[in-house]
């Protein structure tokens, strides 16, 4: 009698050999079945699309009745399929405005100061350069027509928008262009963005899941049965389709993948597409969540993607030449959700000089006593001093932990110039800003990330803080653009009452994802 541990060892050893046999879809352990009912006998269960009599199966493909004393049970299961494959797109949105921190694939990205959007496909890593990470997208995404002068290690990319704060307190920027190629006549259009030090990322794609690796699609796979793929882009979001053809480019015979979108019952008379403008740079994945390509073009029906194996080969050659060392990029993968990676080497951000002039030197925490010679460094009452981190860096890091915090950042980055313009040039807004005491309160807030003992006042001039903020918003609404008013109203609906809270209390009130 084979024990459970022995059966598990046998299954682990022989499963890879069985899974390569034609028609085998899964291998597991369970009760042997007779007439569709379990018998209670432990067996190695082999699932196949079609179960045929032994006499009709080639000897090399025949599954033995027993393996190392463990009986086998061949089960006809049909072809495996997802229960909810994504449809094609029939509605084309403006863009996905979501700010994701840590970064994940399938989200909107932009070159700094550009109006042209694209999609962050997935992440690449070089095993020889631990910690270094790159975001993969199309070359035409990092080189839009409205922002000239693309330069390695200088041209910055942002998510979701390519914006940085005029005060230096926060920004959308996540990395800088590192290298790429563009030759549309030959079906070449790829680029990588090296993530900035301190940036966090996950080997995941929105609405799809974690990336498990890569796969090179073969003609046999495409012709034998429908080969399902999906992508998540900035404009059409999650869409699914079937590979229609390979071998469609002039230079690399198997460089292009052509995708026909899945039907969408909700489309009615609307045309259904797989991708649209703004989806450029989306990673193309199969049913196993393996990256097979990079979407870069579309027509009125089909999507077009570049094969991932050729992309990696070309990018490795380009970066090896530019960096004067061997580069071996590969697609970053994961084995479970929620694994956060951090690019090492984050630089400390100095307090912006325009704030230093207003606030003066920030208070420093009292030094902790150093243990006397010969005493233990972990003696009671002594805690090693923490390295100083500037308030703007702490603020952005902590706000990025919650949906409310990210909304604060996005609202500020979107409307900072209009808000500052109203405060600096509109007399009524300026009077309200200073007379309510909000100007002084913001100065206190700027100190709080590095001084956890400071707290926001519960009242200003005897009025609850929430009341004061409501009055200030009413003043802004009289002069603000409709877009600013709408975003302030949205922020007001989710912002908790912050009166009397310290900085840790504020971050806790915002919650975490």
């Amino acid at each position: 009698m084979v024990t459970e541990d022995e059966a598990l060892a046998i299954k682990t050893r022989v499963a890879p050999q069985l899974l390569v046999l034609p028609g085998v879809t899964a291998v597991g352990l369970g009760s042997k079945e007779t007439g569709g009912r379990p018998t209670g006998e432990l067996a190695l269960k082999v699932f196949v699309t079609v179960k045929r009599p032994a006499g009709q199966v080639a000897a090399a493909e025949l599954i033995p009745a027993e393996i190392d004393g463990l009986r086998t049970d061949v089960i006809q299961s049909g072809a495996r399929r997802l229960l909810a494959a994504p449809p094609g797109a029939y509605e084309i949105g403006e863009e996905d405005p979501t700010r994701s921190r840590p970064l994940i694939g399938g989200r909107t990205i932009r070159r700094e100061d550009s109006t042209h959007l694209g999609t962050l496909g997935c992440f690449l890593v070089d095993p020889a350069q631990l910690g270094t990470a790159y975001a993969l997208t199309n070359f035409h995404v990092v080189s839009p027509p409205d922002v000239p002068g693309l330069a390695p290690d200088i041209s910055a990319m942002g998510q979701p928008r390519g914006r940085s704060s005029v005060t230096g307190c926060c920004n959308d920027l996540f990395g800088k262009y590192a290298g790429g190629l563009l030759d549309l006549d030959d079906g070449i259009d790829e680029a990588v963005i090296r993530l900035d030090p301190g940036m966090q990322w996950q080997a995941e794609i929105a609405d799809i899941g974690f990336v498990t690796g890569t796969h090179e699609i073969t003609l046999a796979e495409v012709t034998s049965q429908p080969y399902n793929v999906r992508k998540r882009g900035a404009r059409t979001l999650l869409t699914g389709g079937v590979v229609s053809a390979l071998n469609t480019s002039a230079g690399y015979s198997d460089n292009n993948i052509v995708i026909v979108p899945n039907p969408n019952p909700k489309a009615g008379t609307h045309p259904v597409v797989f991708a649209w403008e703004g989806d450029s740079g989306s990673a193309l994945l199969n049913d196993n969540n393996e990256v097979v390509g990079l979407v870069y073009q579309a027509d009125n029906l089909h999507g077009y993607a570049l094969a991932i194996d050729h992309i990696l080969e070309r990018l490795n050659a380009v970066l090896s030449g530019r960096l004067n060392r061997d580069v071996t990029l590969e697609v970053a993968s994961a084995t479970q959700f929620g694994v956060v990676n951090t690019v090492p080497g984050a630089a400390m951000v100095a307090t912006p000089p325009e704030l230093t002039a207003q606030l003066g030197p920030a208070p420093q925490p009292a030094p902790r006593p150093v243990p006397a010679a010969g005493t233990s460094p972990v003696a009671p009452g002594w805690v090693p001093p923490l390295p100083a981190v500037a308030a703007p860096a702490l603020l952005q890091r902590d706000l990025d932990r919650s949906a409310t915090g990210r909304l604060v950042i996005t609202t500020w980055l979107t409307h900072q110039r209009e808000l500052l313009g109203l405060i600096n040039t509109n007399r009524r807004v300026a009077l309200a800003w200073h007379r309510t005491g909000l100007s002084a309160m913001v100065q206190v807030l700027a100190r709080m990330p590095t001084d956890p003992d400071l707290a926001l006042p519960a009242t200003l001039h005897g009025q609850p803080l929430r009341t004061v903020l409501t009055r200030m918003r009413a003043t802004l609404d009289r002069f603000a653009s409709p877009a600013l008013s709408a975003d302030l109203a949205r922020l007001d609906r989710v912002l908790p009452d912050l009166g009397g809270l310290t900085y840790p209390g504020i971050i806790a009130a915002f919650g975490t994802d």
Side-chain angles (χ1 to χ4, degrees):
M1 179 72 67
V2 176
T3 67
E4 289 187 5
D5 288 343
E6 290 171 339
L8 180 59
I10 293 170
K11 179 260 177 184
T12 302
R13 178 174 56 81
V14 303
Q17 305 166 29
L18 296 174
L19 286 170
V20 299
L21 297 179
V24 175
T25 62
V27 178
L29 294 171
S31 174
K32 185 173 178 61
E33 298 179 21
T34 299
R37 299 182 64 84
T39 65
E41 178 185 0
L42 181 62
L44 182 71
K45 308 191 76 167
V46 183
F47 297 86
V48 297
T49 54
V50 178
K51 186 175 180 180
R52 296 174 291 166
Q56 299 179 13
V57 181
E61 300 174 4
L62 189 64
I63 298 170
E66 184 178 289
I67 299 177
D68 292 347
L70 179 65
R71 294 188 66 183
T72 62
D73 192 13
V74 180
I75 306 295
Q76 179 169 304
S77 61
R80 297 178 67 179
R81 65 186 187 279
L82 295 178
L83 295 178
Y90 71 96
E91 292 183 341
I92 313 300
E94 289 298 320
E95 66 177 278
D96 175 12
T98 305
R99 176 183 170 95
S100 289
R101 297 296 185 276
L103 292 170
I104 59 174
R107 295 297 196 197
T108 301
I109 58 173
R110 274 192 176 90
R111 173 88 173 271
E112 185 177 15
D113 297 328
S114 175
T115 60
H116 292 254
L117 67 144
T119 301
L120 193 164
C122 60
F123 298 98
L124 307 180
V125 293
D126 184 350
Q129 299 291 319
L130 295 179
T132 302
Y134 299 84
L136 176 64
T137 190
N138 291 142
F139 188 93
H140 75 262
V141 171
V142 303
S143 184
D146 58 344
V147 182
L150 182 66
D153 303 324
I154 295 176
S155 300
M157 296 293 294
Q159 194 288 314
R161 298 174 177 85
R163 292 175 176 165
S164 59
S165 172
V166 295
T167 62
C169 69
C170 49
N171 63 70
D172 273 339
L173 305 181
F174 67 87
K176 296 178 177 61
Y177 167 69
L181 302 100
L182 179 66
D183 186 347
L184 294 180
D185 291 336
D186 211 13
I188 298 174
D189 186 359
E190 59 257 3
V192 285
I193 305 142
R194 181 167 178 167
L195 303 190
D196 289 334
M199 185 57 59
Q200 294 185 322
W201 59 278
Q202 294 172 286
E204 299 177 11
I205 296 177
D207 299 332
I208 292 180
F210 57 84
V211 175
T212 62
T214 60
H215 179 72
E216 180 181 353
I217 304 176
T218 66
L219 281 173
E221 291 173 320
V222 172
T223 56
S224 62
Q225 60 184 345
Y227 194 92
N228 299 314
V229 290
R230 66 203 60 219
K231 72 97 186 76
R232 210 281 186 182
R235 286 291 294 279
T236 59
L237 307 182
L238 177 63
T239 60
V242 174
V243 174
S244 173
L246 303 176
N247 305 330
T248 59
S249 65
Y252 290 87
S253 62
D254 57 349
N255 189 45
N256 265 212
I257 304 168
V258 184
I259 307 105
V260 176
N262 289 337
N264 193 324
K266 298 179 181 180
T269 59
H270 295 278
V272 176
V273 299
F274 181 75
W276 203 251
E277 295 177 2
D279 293 331
S280 293
S282 305
L284 186 70
L285 291 93
N286 61 18
D287 282 348
N288 296 322
N289 274 16
E290 297 169 313
V291 176
V292 298
L294 188 71
V295 176
Y296 78 116
Q297 288 181 333
D299 56 27
N300 290 336
L301 174 62
H302 304 92
Y304 294 82
L306 307 172
I308 189 63
D309 53 314
H310 288 305
I311 287 175
L312 295 176
E313 180 182 353
R314 292 190 294 259
L315 287 174
N316 284 334
V318 168
L319 291 184
S320 295
R322 193 176 80 77
L323 301 176
N324 197 30
R325 60 174 173 81
D326 289 338
V327 175
T328 55
L329 295 179
E330 57 186 44
V331 171
S333 61
T335 57
Q336 61 183 14
F337 280 106
V339 178
V340 178
N341 307 278
T342 303
V343 179
M348 301 305 177
V349 181
T351 303
E354 60 269 29
L355 291 182
T356 303
Q358 298 175 27
L359 299 176
Q364 299 296 317
R368 298 186 182 273
V370 178
T375 63
S376 169
V378 292
W382 183 79
V383 179
L386 296 174
V389 180
L394 281 171
L395 182 61
Q396 176 163 325
R397 181 200 67 186
D398 292 336
L399 289 178
D400 265 329
R401 293 175 177 172
S402 66
T404 300
R406 291 191 293 273
L407 181 59
V408 170
I409 292 176
T410 299
T411 303
W412 169 243
L413 292 177
T414 301
H415 301 291
Q416 57 181 319
R417 288 178 174 80
E418 181 178 358
L419 284 167
L420 292 175
L422 288 171
I423 291 172
N424 291 329
T425 64
N426 185 295
R427 183 173 178 272
R428 292 186 179 181
V429 173
L431 284 173
W433 178 247
H434 291 285
R435 287 180 176 176
T436 57
L438 287 175
S439 175
M441 189 193 74
V442 167
Q443 296 182 49
V444 174
L445 183 61
R447 294 174 177 260
M448 291 174 66
T450 52
D451 189 346
D453 294 330
L454 282 177
L456 289 179
T459 62
L460 288 172
H461 299 302
Q463 297 292 318
L465 182 57
R466 188 76 184 195
T467 301
V468 176
L469 291 173
T470 300
R471 289 173 52 195
M472 188 69 221
R473 182 188 149 205
T475 302
L476 285 169
D477 279 342
R478 296 178 57 189
F479 305 100
S481 66
L484 173 57
S485 292
D487 283 352
L488 289 177
R490 181 171 61 152
L491 184 60
D492 186 51
R493 288 193 293 269
V494 299
L495 197 66
D497 187 358
L498 305 179
L501 296 182
T502 62
Y503 180 75
I506 293 173
I507 299 304
F510 280 8
T512 57
D513 293 342

